[in-house]
Amino acid sequence: MKNNIWFHADDFGVTTGQSERILDCYQNGALNSISVIANTPVLEETLEILNRADPDKTRIRRVLHLNFVEGKPLSGAENVPDLVDSSGYFDKSFFRFFEWNYGKRGARRRGLVRQIKSEITAQLRAVTSVCDYGITAIDSHQHYHMIPIVFDSLMEVLMEKEFEHLRIHQIRIPVDPATPLMHDAQMRRGVPKINWVKWCVLKIYVGRNTKVLRGRGIESPVFFGMFYTCEMKKEVVEALLPAYVAYADKKDQDLELMFHPGNLTVRHELLDARSEELVAFYMSDNRSYEAECLKLLSRDF
Protein backbone atom coordinates (compact mmCIF):
# COMPACT_ATOMS: atom_id res chain seq x y z
CA MET A 1 0.00 0.00 0.00
CA LYS A 2 1.40 3.39 -0.99
CA ASN A 3 -0.13 5.29 1.94
CA ASN A 4 0.00 4.52 5.67
CA ILE A 5 -1.88 1.75 7.39
CA TRP A 6 -2.54 2.74 10.99
CA PHE A 7 -2.96 -0.29 13.22
CA HIS A 8 -4.53 1.75 15.97
CA ALA A 9 -5.36 1.17 19.65
CA ASP A 10 -8.02 3.27 21.35
CA ASP A 11 -8.12 3.99 25.11
CA PHE A 12 -4.40 4.31 25.87
CA GLY A 13 -3.58 5.68 29.31
CA VAL A 14 -6.27 4.42 31.67
CA THR A 15 -3.60 2.73 33.84
CA THR A 16 0.13 2.13 33.46
CA GLY A 17 -0.38 -1.63 33.25
CA GLN A 18 -3.05 -1.29 30.58
CA SER A 19 -0.82 1.10 28.61
CA GLU A 20 2.07 -1.35 28.78
CA ARG A 21 -0.19 -4.11 27.45
CA ILE A 22 -1.17 -1.88 24.55
CA LEU A 23 2.47 -1.07 23.74
CA ASP A 24 3.31 -4.76 23.80
CA CYS A 25 1.30 -4.88 20.58
CA TYR A 26 3.80 -2.39 19.13
CA GLN A 27 6.90 -4.09 20.44
CA ASN A 28 5.73 -7.55 19.37
CA GLY A 29 3.22 -6.77 16.63
CA ALA A 30 1.82 -4.37 14.07
CA LEU A 31 0.54 -1.56 16.34
CA ASN A 32 1.78 1.85 15.18
CA SER A 33 -0.86 4.28 16.45
CA ILE A 34 -2.55 5.02 19.80
CA SER A 35 -5.13 7.46 21.08
CA VAL A 36 -4.68 8.66 24.63
CA ILE A 37 -7.43 9.47 27.12
CA ALA A 38 -6.45 12.77 28.73
CA ASN A 39 -8.48 12.78 31.96
CA THR A 40 -6.65 9.96 33.71
CA PRO A 41 -4.60 10.16 36.91
CA VAL A 42 -1.59 8.51 35.21
CA LEU A 43 -1.27 10.77 32.15
CA GLU A 44 2.35 11.70 32.90
CA GLU A 45 3.41 8.14 33.73
CA THR A 46 1.86 6.71 30.56
CA LEU A 47 3.61 9.37 28.47
CA GLU A 48 6.91 8.18 29.92
CA ILE A 49 6.01 4.60 28.97
CA LEU A 50 5.11 5.71 25.45
CA ASN A 51 8.31 7.73 25.03
CA ARG A 52 10.45 4.81 26.16
CA ALA A 53 8.90 2.70 23.43
CA ASP A 54 9.08 5.49 20.83
CA PRO A 55 11.71 8.02 21.99
CA ASP A 56 11.87 10.03 18.77
CA LYS A 57 8.04 10.14 18.36
CA THR A 58 8.20 8.82 14.80
CA ARG A 59 7.13 5.18 15.07
CA ILE A 60 3.79 5.53 16.87
CA ARG A 61 1.16 8.03 15.74
CA ARG A 62 -0.18 9.90 18.78
CA VAL A 63 -3.85 10.87 18.85
CA LEU A 64 -6.04 12.63 21.42
CA HIS A 65 -9.03 10.48 22.40
CA LEU A 66 -11.56 13.15 23.41
CA ASN A 67 -13.59 11.79 26.28
CA PHE A 68 -17.07 12.79 27.46
CA VAL A 69 -17.90 9.24 28.51
CA GLU A 70 -16.08 8.29 31.71
CA GLY A 71 -14.13 9.75 34.59
CA LYS A 72 -14.16 13.36 35.71
CA PRO A 73 -13.79 16.42 33.46
CA LEU A 74 -10.44 18.18 33.39
CA SER A 75 -12.15 21.57 33.23
CA GLY A 76 -13.81 20.98 36.61
CA ALA A 77 -17.32 19.65 37.20
CA GLU A 78 -18.50 23.09 38.27
CA ASN A 79 -17.65 24.44 34.82
CA VAL A 80 -19.48 21.72 32.89
CA PRO A 81 -22.56 20.96 35.01
CA ASP A 82 -24.62 19.67 32.09
CA LEU A 83 -22.03 17.01 31.25
CA VAL A 84 -21.74 15.38 34.68
CA ASP A 85 -23.77 13.79 37.44
CA SER A 86 -24.06 14.91 41.07
CA SER A 87 -20.73 13.20 41.84
CA GLY A 88 -18.90 15.13 39.14
CA TYR A 89 -18.48 12.19 36.73
CA PHE A 90 -19.33 12.23 33.04
CA ASP A 91 -22.70 10.55 32.63
CA LYS A 92 -24.27 11.69 29.33
CA SER A 93 -24.68 9.11 26.59
CA PHE A 94 -23.97 9.56 22.90
CA PHE A 95 -27.70 9.78 22.29
CA ARG A 96 -28.15 12.51 24.91
CA PHE A 97 -25.61 14.60 22.97
CA PHE A 98 -27.44 13.58 19.79
CA GLU A 99 -30.71 14.90 21.27
CA TRP A 100 -29.05 18.09 22.46
CA ASN A 101 -27.74 18.74 18.96
CA TYR A 102 -31.29 19.03 17.66
CA GLY A 103 -33.14 20.18 20.76
CA LYS A 104 -30.96 22.89 22.29
CA ARG A 105 -31.47 26.36 20.86
CA GLY A 106 -30.63 29.94 21.74
CA ALA A 107 -29.05 30.67 25.10
CA ARG A 108 -29.34 27.05 26.25
CA ARG A 109 -27.35 25.85 23.23
CA ARG A 110 -24.73 28.58 23.65
CA GLY A 111 -24.30 27.58 27.29
CA LEU A 112 -23.86 23.94 26.38
CA VAL A 113 -21.36 24.80 23.64
CA ARG A 114 -19.33 26.81 26.16
CA GLN A 115 -19.14 23.76 28.40
CA ILE A 116 -18.15 21.43 25.56
CA LYS A 117 -15.48 23.84 24.36
CA SER A 118 -14.18 24.28 27.90
CA GLU A 119 -13.64 20.54 28.26
CA ILE A 120 -12.13 20.12 24.79
CA THR A 121 -9.71 22.94 25.64
CA ALA A 122 -8.76 21.31 28.95
CA GLN A 123 -8.15 17.92 27.33
CA LEU A 124 -6.07 19.46 24.54
CA ARG A 125 -3.98 21.34 27.10
CA ALA A 126 -3.42 18.12 29.04
CA VAL A 127 -1.71 16.43 26.07
CA THR A 128 0.10 19.51 24.77
CA SER A 129 1.22 22.09 27.34
CA VAL A 130 0.85 19.87 30.45
CA CYS A 131 2.17 16.57 29.04
CA ASP A 132 3.41 16.93 25.48
CA TYR A 133 2.29 13.78 23.71
CA GLY A 134 3.13 15.21 20.30
CA ILE A 135 -0.36 14.56 18.99
CA THR A 136 -1.03 14.91 15.27
CA ALA A 137 -4.61 13.62 15.17
CA ILE A 138 -7.87 13.57 17.13
CA ASP A 139 -10.67 11.07 17.60
CA SER A 140 -13.07 10.47 20.48
CA HIS A 141 -14.34 7.90 22.94
CA GLN A 142 -17.50 6.36 21.44
CA HIS A 143 -17.25 8.82 18.54
CA TYR A 144 -19.00 11.77 20.24
CA HIS A 145 -16.99 14.17 18.07
CA MET A 146 -19.07 13.22 15.03
CA ILE A 147 -22.15 14.97 16.47
CA PRO A 148 -22.20 18.54 15.06
CA ILE A 149 -22.50 20.28 18.44
CA VAL A 150 -19.24 18.59 19.48
CA PHE A 151 -17.58 18.59 16.06
CA ASP A 152 -18.14 22.32 15.52
CA SER A 153 -16.93 23.07 19.05
CA LEU A 154 -13.75 21.12 18.33
CA MET A 155 -13.17 23.04 15.10
CA GLU A 156 -13.58 26.35 16.93
CA VAL A 157 -11.17 25.35 19.69
CA LEU A 158 -8.53 24.24 17.17
CA MET A 159 -8.70 27.70 15.56
CA GLU A 160 -7.92 29.48 18.82
CA LYS A 161 -4.51 31.11 19.09
CA GLU A 162 -3.47 28.77 21.89
CA PHE A 163 -3.68 25.75 19.59
CA GLU A 164 -2.97 27.14 16.14
CA HIS A 165 0.60 25.81 16.34
CA LEU A 166 -0.57 22.21 16.64
CA ARG A 167 -0.04 20.06 13.59
CA ILE A 168 -3.39 18.29 13.66
CA HIS A 169 -3.59 16.85 10.18
CA GLN A 170 -6.00 13.95 10.72
CA ILE A 171 -9.39 13.63 12.43
CA ARG A 172 -11.23 10.34 12.43
CA ILE A 173 -14.41 9.82 10.46
CA PRO A 174 -15.39 6.49 12.05
CA VAL A 175 -17.63 5.08 9.32
CA ASP A 176 -16.34 2.07 7.41
CA PRO A 177 -16.99 2.19 3.67
CA ALA A 178 -19.50 -0.56 2.95
CA THR A 179 -18.05 -1.56 -0.43
CA PRO A 180 -15.28 -3.86 0.91
CA LEU A 181 -17.80 -5.65 3.13
CA MET A 182 -20.23 -6.20 0.27
CA HIS A 183 -17.74 -8.53 -1.43
CA ASP A 184 -17.92 -11.03 1.46
CA ALA A 185 -21.41 -12.29 2.26
CA GLN A 186 -20.29 -14.28 5.28
CA MET A 187 -18.55 -11.31 6.89
CA ARG A 188 -21.48 -9.06 6.06
CA ARG A 189 -23.86 -11.40 7.85
CA GLY A 190 -21.49 -11.49 10.83
CA VAL A 191 -21.76 -7.77 11.63
CA PRO A 192 -23.64 -7.34 14.95
CA LYS A 193 -26.98 -5.56 14.45
CA ILE A 194 -26.09 -2.86 16.97
CA ASN A 195 -23.04 -1.95 14.90
CA TRP A 196 -25.24 -1.48 11.83
CA VAL A 197 -27.33 0.92 13.90
CA LYS A 198 -24.24 2.86 15.04
CA TRP A 199 -22.95 2.94 11.47
CA CYS A 200 -26.23 4.37 10.17
CA VAL A 201 -26.34 7.07 12.85
CA LEU A 202 -22.73 8.16 12.30
CA LYS A 203 -23.11 8.08 8.52
CA ILE A 204 -25.60 10.95 8.81
CA TYR A 205 -22.69 13.29 9.50
CA VAL A 206 -19.99 11.94 7.18
CA GLY A 207 -20.56 14.32 4.27
CA ARG A 208 -20.99 17.39 6.47
CA ASN A 209 -17.95 16.80 8.64
CA THR A 210 -15.71 15.62 5.82
CA LYS A 211 -16.46 18.80 3.86
CA VAL A 212 -15.45 20.96 6.84
CA LEU A 213 -12.22 19.01 7.36
CA ARG A 214 -11.25 19.21 3.70
CA GLY A 215 -11.81 22.97 3.80
CA ARG A 216 -9.26 23.16 6.60
CA GLY A 217 -6.74 20.80 5.02
CA ILE A 218 -7.38 18.02 7.55
CA GLU A 219 -7.40 14.42 6.33
CA SER A 220 -9.54 11.48 7.42
CA PRO A 221 -8.13 8.01 6.84
CA VAL A 222 -10.37 5.33 5.40
CA PHE A 223 -11.77 3.61 8.48
CA PHE A 224 -12.02 -0.11 9.28
CA GLY A 225 -13.45 -0.92 12.69
CA MET A 226 -17.06 0.22 13.12
CA PHE A 227 -18.74 -2.88 11.71
CA TYR A 228 -16.61 -5.13 13.91
CA THR A 229 -16.06 -2.87 16.93
CA CYS A 230 -14.49 -4.96 19.71
CA GLU A 231 -14.58 -7.95 17.34
CA MET A 232 -11.40 -7.20 15.38
CA LYS A 233 -10.10 -10.73 15.68
CA LYS A 234 -7.58 -12.45 13.45
CA GLU A 235 -10.17 -14.16 11.25
CA VAL A 236 -12.09 -10.88 10.75
CA VAL A 237 -9.04 -8.82 9.83
CA GLU A 238 -7.56 -11.48 7.57
CA ALA A 239 -10.85 -11.77 5.69
CA LEU A 240 -11.48 -8.05 5.19
CA LEU A 241 -8.14 -6.22 5.27
CA PRO A 242 -7.17 -6.87 1.61
CA ALA A 243 -10.44 -5.30 0.42
CA TYR A 244 -10.00 -2.27 2.69
CA VAL A 245 -6.40 -1.82 1.55
CA ALA A 246 -7.55 -1.91 -2.08
CA TYR A 247 -10.30 0.61 -1.31
CA ALA A 248 -7.90 3.01 0.44
CA ASP A 249 -5.40 2.69 -2.40
CA LYS A 250 -8.10 3.58 -4.90
CA LYS A 251 -9.00 6.65 -2.83
CA ASP A 252 -5.30 7.48 -2.31
CA GLN A 253 -5.86 7.75 1.44
CA ASP A 254 -4.38 6.33 4.63
CA LEU A 255 -6.20 3.41 6.21
CA GLU A 256 -6.95 3.16 9.94
CA LEU A 257 -7.88 -0.10 11.67
CA MET A 258 -9.42 0.46 15.12
CA PHE A 259 -8.58 -2.03 17.88
CA HIS A 260 -9.22 -2.08 21.63
CA PRO A 261 -6.37 -4.28 22.89
CA GLY A 262 -5.81 -2.80 26.34
CA ASN A 263 -7.82 -4.74 28.91
CA LEU A 264 -8.14 -3.90 32.59
CA THR A 265 -7.70 -6.65 35.16
CA VAL A 266 -9.66 -5.40 38.17
CA ARG A 267 -12.76 -3.25 38.47
CA HIS A 268 -11.24 -0.47 40.58
CA GLU A 269 -8.85 0.43 37.73
CA LEU A 270 -11.71 1.92 35.71
CA LEU A 271 -12.14 5.69 35.54
CA ASP A 272 -15.72 5.08 36.68
CA ALA A 273 -16.11 1.67 38.28
CA ARG A 274 -19.83 2.27 38.90
CA SER A 275 -20.74 1.59 35.27
CA GLU A 276 -21.48 -2.05 34.43
CA GLU A 277 -21.29 -1.18 30.73
CA LEU A 278 -17.74 0.13 31.12
CA VAL A 279 -16.76 -2.86 33.28
CA ALA A 280 -17.88 -5.19 30.47
CA PHE A 281 -16.14 -3.01 27.86
CA TYR A 282 -12.74 -2.90 29.55
CA MET A 283 -12.66 -6.40 30.98
CA SER A 284 -13.93 -8.25 27.92
CA ASP A 285 -11.94 -11.22 26.63
CA ASN A 286 -12.27 -9.67 23.18
CA ARG A 287 -9.55 -7.18 24.11
CA SER A 288 -7.14 -10.07 24.49
CA TYR A 289 -8.23 -11.50 21.14
CA GLU A 290 -7.66 -8.11 19.47
CA ALA A 291 -4.21 -7.85 21.08
CA GLU A 292 -3.41 -11.31 19.77
CA CYS A 293 -4.52 -10.24 16.30
CA LEU A 294 -2.21 -7.21 16.35
CA LYS A 295 0.71 -9.42 17.33
CA LEU A 296 0.06 -11.73 14.39
CA LEU A 297 -0.26 -8.98 11.78
CA SER A 298 2.57 -7.54 9.73
CA ARG A 299 3.16 -3.79 9.54
CA ASP A 300 4.24 -4.31 5.93
CA PHE A 301 0.90 -5.62 4.72
Side-chain angles (χ1 to χ4, degrees), residues 146-163:
M146 285 292 287
I147 304 170
I149 197 170
V150 180
F151 182 87
D152 294 347
S153 296
L154 172 60
M155 292 299 102
E156 290 177 17
V157 170
L158 288 175
M159 290 182 66
E160 292 176 0
K161 187 174 181 60
E162 179 179 357
F163 301 115

Side-chain angles (χ1 to χ4, degrees), residues 13-18 21 40-42 70-71 89 263-276 278-280 282-283:
V14 178
T15 71
T16 55
Q18 179 244 17
R21 287 189 284 277
T40 75
V42 292
E70 59 182 302
Y89 284 84
N263 65 303
L264 297 178
T265 57
V266 290
R267 187 182 185 120
H268 70 76
E269 292 181 326
L270 274 73
L271 296 179
D272 188 351
R274 303 170 304 170
S275 169
E276 295 300 330
L278 289 172
V279 169
Y282 277 109
M283 302 184 76

Side-chain angles (χ1 to χ4, degrees), residues 166-185:
L166 296 180
R167 294 180 294 172
I168 303 299
H169 59 81
Q170 292 185 331
I171 290 179
R172 176 188 288 172
I173 298 292
V175 179
D176 305 25
T179 302
L181 191 67
M182 295 302 107
H183 295 304
D184 193 321

Side-chain angles (χ1 to χ4, degrees), residues 14-298:
V14 178
T15 71
T16 55
Q18 179 244 17
S19 300
E20 288 169 342
R21 287 189 284 277
I22 288 175
L23 289 177
D24 185 47
C25 298
Y26 159 71
Q27 292 155 340
N28 296 293
L31 183 83
N32 60 358
S33 177
I34 61 97
S35 51
V36 59
I37 295 178
N39 64 321
T40 75
V42 292
L43 188 66
E44 185 174 353
E45 293 92 326
T46 52
L47 175 58
E48 292 174 1
I49 294 169
L50 177 60
N51 284 342
R52 284 200 297 271
D54 178 28
D56 57 2
K57 299 184 180 181
T58 61
R59 297 178 181 273
I60 301 175
R61 182 181 68 144
R62 290 118 180 276
V63 184
L64 170 61
H65 204 46
L66 282 175
N67 175 26
F68 296 95
V69 177
E70 59 182 302
K72 293 186 175 183
L74 289 178
S75 55
E78 69 279 5
N79 295 314
V80 290
D82 291 328
L83 309 185
V84 299
D85 62 16
S86 59
S87 300
Y89 284 84
F90 287 128
D91 72 331
K92 302 304 186 295
S93 69
F94 178 97
F95 285 101
R96 176 59 62 86
F97 275 73
F98 184 86
E99 292 170 355
W100 282 343
N101 183 65
Y102 297 101
K104 295 287 188 179
R105 292 291 180 266
R108 295 182 67 185
R109 186 181 186 89
R110 289 192 295 273
L112 183 58
V113 167
R114 280 194 298 271
Q115 294 178 50
I116 293 170
K117 289 174 66 176
S118 174
E119 184 57 23
I120 291 173
T121 297
Q123 293 188 25
L124 268 172
R125 284 175 180 159
V127 297
T128 55
S129 59
V130 178
C131 293
D132 185 9
Y133 268 78
I135 63 167
T136 60
I138 296 173
D139 56 35
S140 68
H141 211 14
Q142 298 184 13
H143 315 302
Y144 280 43
H145 76 286
M146 285 292 287
I147 304 170
I149 197 170
V150 180
F151 182 87
D152 294 347
S153 296
L154 172 60
M155 292 299 102
E156 290 177 17
V157 170
L158 288 175
M159 290 182 66
E160 292 176 0
K161 187 174 181 60
E162 179 179 357
F163 301 115
E164 62 184 10
H165 68 285
L166 296 180
R167 294 180 294 172
I168 303 299
H169 59 81
Q170 292 185 331
I171 290 179
R172 176 188 288 172
I173 298 292
V175 179
D176 305 25
T179 302
L181 191 67
M182 295 302 107
H183 295 304
D184 193 321
Q186 181 178 352
M187 299 307 299
R188 187 170 65 250
R189 289 193 296 269
V191 175
K193 291 181 180 178
I194 187 60
N195 289 350
W196 278 112
V197 173
K198 294 176 182 177
W199 184 86
C200 289
V201 171
L202 292 171
K203 192 170 175 59
I204 296 169
Y205 303 120
V206 169
R208 175 196 189 276
N209 293 353
T210 299
K211 183 178 179 180
V212 172
L213 294 178
R214 286 176 179 168
R216 300 191 179 183
I218 299 175
E219 303 170 353
S220 297
V222 171
F223 191 72
F224 173 14
M226 173 51 65
F227 287 131
Y228 279 92
T229 297
C230 297
E231 297 281 347
M232 293 286 279
K233 302 172 185 177
K234 181 175 181 288
E235 58 270 24
V236 169
V237 175
E238 285 184 340
L240 293 174
L241 182 54
Y244 278 95
V245 168
Y247 183 92
D249 269 343
K250 185 176 180 180
K251 295 292 184 179
D252 193 23
Q253 293 175 248
D254 287 359
L255 172 65
E256 177 184 2
L257 285 73
M258 180 183 69
F259 294 85
H260 296 86
N263 65 303
L264 297 178
T265 57
V266 290
R267 187 182 185 120
H268 70 76
E269 292 181 326
L270 274 73
L271 296 179
D272 188 351
R274 303 170 304 170
S275 169
E276 295 300 330
E277 181 181 351
L278 289 172
V279 169
F281 176 62
Y282 277 109
M283 302 184 76
S284 168
D285 288 340
N286 283 352
R287 286 185 175 251
S288 297
Y289 299 142
E290 293 199 357
E292 179 183 13
C293 176
L294 280 165
K295 292 175 185 178
L296 294 171
L297 290 171
S298 168

